[in-house]
C-alpha cells in the first residue's frame, strides 16, 4: 500500500537512507529537519551530502520539532510518522541539558499534542529510541541470576577498575539485554530517549494511532557524519587515522558496543513502519554481537591498510557505560528480520566511502577539551 511518510530528522544519517528506501517502494516522503551545523555544516545546500541525497526523493521542510507550525505543515497528508529527530550524544547531553530536553522530550510532546488535538491521517508512529535507556544493561551472576547493576562509580573508575560491580556479588558476566530489561539510563541523553519512547507508547493508543519503538544500538556506515564529534567512535577514529593522528583509547579498550550497519537499521525501520505485526511493539535493533573498542581500531586499520599510534590512556567519561549488546530475538520472531552485515564487512564499506570524503577538522579534540573543562572527562 502506498503511503505518505513523514520522517522527522529525515536529513540525518539514518533518515536520509530511510527516505530512499520508502521512495524506492513508491511511497511519498516528507522530511522535517533542522539542518543543524554540527551535522550539515554552515551552508547545508552545499556542505551537506546527506541533504543533497534527498534531491528527487523527498520534500524537505527546513524546520524543527520544537515548532508547532513546522510540525503542522510537515504532517499534512502523512499516514506514517518515523520520529528520528533528536539531539544525540551522551557526553554533550550532560551539559547541554536544556537543549536536549527541549528537542527530544519537548519536540515529541508537541508532535503528540498535534496528533491528539487536530485532524490528520496518521495511523502509525515509529519512534527512534536507544540502547542508552538500559544504562549498564543485563549481567549474569556466578550463580546464574540475571541482574541489572547500578552505574559505575567515579572512585572505581579513577582507580582503573572499569568493570561493572555490584554489592555482595562476585564477577559479573555480560549478557544480551532484552526489551524487558530494567530501564535506568546513565546520561541526560538516555533519559530523554526513555521519555520519548514512553510518551509515544502511552499517548498513541489513546488517539487511535499504532505506536512502535525501536531501540537502536550503535548505528554506523556510509553517510555517517564525519564532522560531528558526538556521532560515534567509528567516525571519530576514522578521521584520526586519516589525519595520521594518535588514537587515544579510553579506559582499557575492552569496553564493548553492539554495532549495527545502516542498511540493516533501515530495513528494520521500514518493516516497523509497514508490517501489521509491528503495531504496539518495542524492538531492539542491533547485531546481537559485542565488539570491543580495541577490535574497532584493528578493523579500521585493516580497512584503511594503515596504522597510527594508539594509546590506552585509562581516561574515562562520566555517564559512559561499560558494555552493551542487544538481544534481538523479538525482532526476528515478530518481523522475521535479523541483521545480516558482519562488522568487518560493514567497516570496509564505511572506510571505502570515507576515503572519498574530505578529511574533517579536529572538532573531536575541541569536544574533549569541553568535557575536561566541565569535569566530565577524567
Amino acid at each position: 500500500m502506498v503511503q505518505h511518510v513523514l520522517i522527522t530528522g529525515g536529513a540525518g544519517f539514518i533518515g536520509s537512507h530511510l527516505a530512499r528506501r520508502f521512495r524506492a517502494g513508491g511511497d511519498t516522503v516528507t522530511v522535517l529537519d533542522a539542518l543543524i551545523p554540527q551535522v550539515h555544516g554552515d551552508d547545508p545546500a552545499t556542505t551537506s551530502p546527506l541533504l543533497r541525497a534527498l534531491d528527487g526523493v523527498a520534500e524537505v521542510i527546513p524546520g524543527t520539532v520544537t515548532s508547532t507550525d513546522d510540525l503542522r505543515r510537515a504532517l499534512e497528508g502523512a499516514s506514517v510518522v518515523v520520529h528520528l529527530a533528536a539531539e544525540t550524544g551522551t557526553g554533550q547531553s550532560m551539559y547541554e541539558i536544556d537543549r536536549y530536553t527541549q528537542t527530544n522530550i519537548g519536540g515529541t510532546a508537541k508532535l503528540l499534542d498535534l496528533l491528539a488535538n487536530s485532524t490528520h491521517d496518521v495511523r502509525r508512529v515509529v519512534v527512534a529510541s536507544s540502547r542508552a535507556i538500559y544504562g549498564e544493561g543485563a549481567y549474569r551472576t556466578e550463580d546464574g541470576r540475571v541482574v541489572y547493576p547500578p552505574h559505575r562509580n567515579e572512585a572505581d573508575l579513577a582507580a582503573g577498575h572499569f568493570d561493572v560491580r555490584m554489592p555482595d556479588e562476585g564477577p559479573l558476566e555480560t549478557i544480551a539485554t532484552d526489551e524487558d530489561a530494567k530501564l535506568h539510563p546513565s546520561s541526560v541523553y538516555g533519559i530523554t530517549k526513555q521519555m520519548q519512547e514512553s510518551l509515544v507508547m502511552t499517548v498513541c493508543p489513546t488517539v487511535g494511532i499504532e505506536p512502535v519503538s525501536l531501540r537502536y544500538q550503535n548505528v554506523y556506515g556510509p553517510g555517517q557524519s564525519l564532522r560531528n564529534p558526538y556521532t560515534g567512535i567509528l567516525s571519530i577514529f576514522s578521521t584520526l587515522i586519516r589525519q595520521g593522528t594518535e588514537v587515544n583509547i579510553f579506559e582499557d579498550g575492552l569496553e564493548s558496543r553492539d554495532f549495527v550497519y545502516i542498511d540493516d537499521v533501515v530495513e528494520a525501520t521500514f518493516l516497523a513502519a509497514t508490517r501489521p505485526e509491528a503495531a504496539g511493539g518495542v524492538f531492539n535493533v542491533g547485531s546481537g554481537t559485542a565488539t570491543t573498542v580495541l577490535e574497532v581500531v584493528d578493523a579500521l586499520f585493516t580497512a584503511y591498510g594503515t596504522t597510527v599510534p594508539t594509546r590506552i590512556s585509562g581516561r574515562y567519561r562520566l555517564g559512559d557505560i561499560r558494555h552493551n549488546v542487544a538481544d534481538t530475538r523479538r525482532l526476528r520472531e515478530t518481523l522475521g528480520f535479523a541483521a545480516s552485515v558482519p562488522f568487518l564487512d560493514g567497516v570496509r564499506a564505511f572506510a571505502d566511502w570515507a576515503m572519498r570524503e574530505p578529511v574533517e577538522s579536529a572538532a573531536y579534540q575541541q569536544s574533549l577539551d569541553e568535557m575536561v573543562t566541565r569535569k566530565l572527562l577524567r
Side-chain angles (χ1 to χ4, degrees), residues 2-218:
V2 175
Q3 306 176 104
H4 183 162
V5 183
L6 166 62
I7 308 175
T8 69
F13 173 42
I14 298 173
S16 58
H17 283 77
L18 183 62
R20 294 195 294 276
R21 175 66 178 88
F22 278 113
R23 190 70 189 92
D27 296 318
T28 299
V29 183
T30 299
V31 161
L32 175 67
D33 200 291
L35 302 176
I36 62 173
Q38 186 168 290
V39 175
H40 297 281
D42 294 327
D43 181 17
T46 58
T47 59
S48 177
L50 293 173
L51 179 60
R52 293 197 299 274
L54 294 175
D55 289 346
V57 172
E59 177 192 6
V60 178
I61 299 175
T64 172
V65 290
T66 60
S67 165
T68 300
D69 289 340
D70 291 344
L71 279 168
R72 183 179 289 110
R73 178 185 170 196
L75 280 167
E76 290 180 6
S79 55
V80 174
V81 176
V82 181
H83 185 37
L84 302 179
E87 299 290 352
T88 61
T90 55
Q92 189 180 49
S93 77
M94 300 299 284
Y95 57 88
E96 294 276 0
I97 300 162
D98 183 62
R99 181 161 69 95
Y100 274 69
T101 301
Q102 291 295 328
T103 300
N104 298 3
I105 300 175
T108 303
K110 285 185 182 297
L111 170 64
L112 293 172
D113 193 83
L114 271 173
L115 294 177
N117 294 291
S118 63
T119 301
H120 57 78
D121 300 315
V122 176
R123 56 180 178 78
R124 180 172 293 190
V125 172
V126 179
V127 62
S129 186
S130 169
R131 56 94 184 161
I133 71 176
Y134 292 123
E136 287 292 349
Y139 285 75
R140 183 177 288 120
T141 65
E142 290 179 300
D143 60 2
R145 288 173 292 116
V146 175
V147 295
Y148 303 99
H151 311 314
R152 297 180 293 172
N153 65 61
E154 188 176 356
D156 283 344
L157 294 171
H161 301 309
F162 300 120
D163 284 330
V164 171
R165 298 182 175 191
M166 203 166 181
D168 303 319
E169 297 288 354
L172 301 175
E173 175 193 2
T174 307
I175 62 173
T177 301
D178 66 25
E179 292 89 347
D180 296 323
K182 177 181 178 180
L183 305 183
H184 61 144
S186 59
S187 66
V188 172
Y189 171 71
I191 292 168
T192 65
K193 298 307 284 186
Q194 182 182 356
M195 289 300 299
Q196 276 189 302
E197 177 182 306
S198 296
L199 284 166
V200 169
M201 300 305 291
T202 300
V203 173
C204 282
T206 71
V207 294
I209 296 173
E210 300 170 343
V212 185
S213 178
L214 301 180
R215 295 174 179 171
Y216 293 143
Q217 306 299 305
N218 290 67

Side-chain angles (χ1 to χ4, degrees), residues 220-222 234 257-261 264 287 289-305 340-353:
Y220 74 98
L234 272 162
R257 299 291 185 269
D258 184 333
F259 292 94
V260 57
Y261 192 67
D264 286 325
S287 68
T289 301
T291 302
T292 69
V293 173
L294 290 177
E295 289 170 335
V296 169
V297 174
D298 285 344
L300 286 169
F301 284 167
T302 299
Y304 282 115
S340 62
V341 180
F343 181 67
L344 293 180
D345 291 349
V347 170
R348 281 194 292 271
F350 168 76
D352 288 346
W353 164 80

Side-chain angles (χ1 to χ4, degrees), residues 229 240 315 362-370:
L240 293 175
R315 300 186 80 180
Y364 176 55
Q365 186 57 51
Q366 297 170 14
S367 73
L368 296 184
D369 293 343
E370 180 72 17

